[in-house]
Amino acid sequence: KDIEFIRSYYYNKLEYTRFSSSVGKFVGFTERGVKNAEYWNNNPSILSNMKAQKEAVCLNHVQSKYDNVL
């Protein structure tokens, strides 16, 4: 529950689009980023792929990373 998957997209050190698993969709921060987010949010395959990344990346590795810290 308390793990969040975030994928940010940058150009020239400026974040223009971000996907957050807690929000469940892409959010745009620039004019181009808003257009990208709108397109990606309307594409079910891209959106479902990003939602699945939390389980594939975060939840499968959290225990091993936690054990390494201890």
Side-chain angles (χ1 to χ4, degrees), residues 24-70:
K25 65 179 185 174
F26 289 92
V27 177
F29 299 105
T30 64
E31 184 178 341
R32 178 68 176 167
V34 169
K35 290 179 183 178
N36 285 345
E38 184 178 311
Y39 173 77
W40 293 336
N41 287 333
N42 289 325
N43 189 329
S45 64
I46 293 174
L47 206 53
S48 64
N49 183 320
M50 292 304 289
K51 289 178 180 178
Q53 290 300 309
K54 178 179 178 181
E55 184 176 331
V57 176
C58 301
L59 298 179
N60 284 336
H61 296 96
V62 69
Q63 190 62 45
S64 65
K65 299 296 182 188
Y66 181 76
D67 291 340
N68 286 340
V69 171
L70 296 178

Side-chain angles (χ1 to χ4, degrees), residues 4-20 25-34 36-37 40:
E4 181 177 12
F5 174 77
I6 297 174
R7 176 161 293 165
S8 298
Y9 297 89
Y10 291 86
Y11 182 75
N12 284 339
K13 299 181 182 180
L14 178 66
E15 182 179 25
Y16 63 92
T17 308
R18 177 189 303 166
F19 176 84
S20 172
K25 65 179 185 174
F26 289 92
V27 177
F29 299 105
T30 64
E31 184 178 341
R32 178 68 176 167
V34 169
N36 285 345
W40 293 336

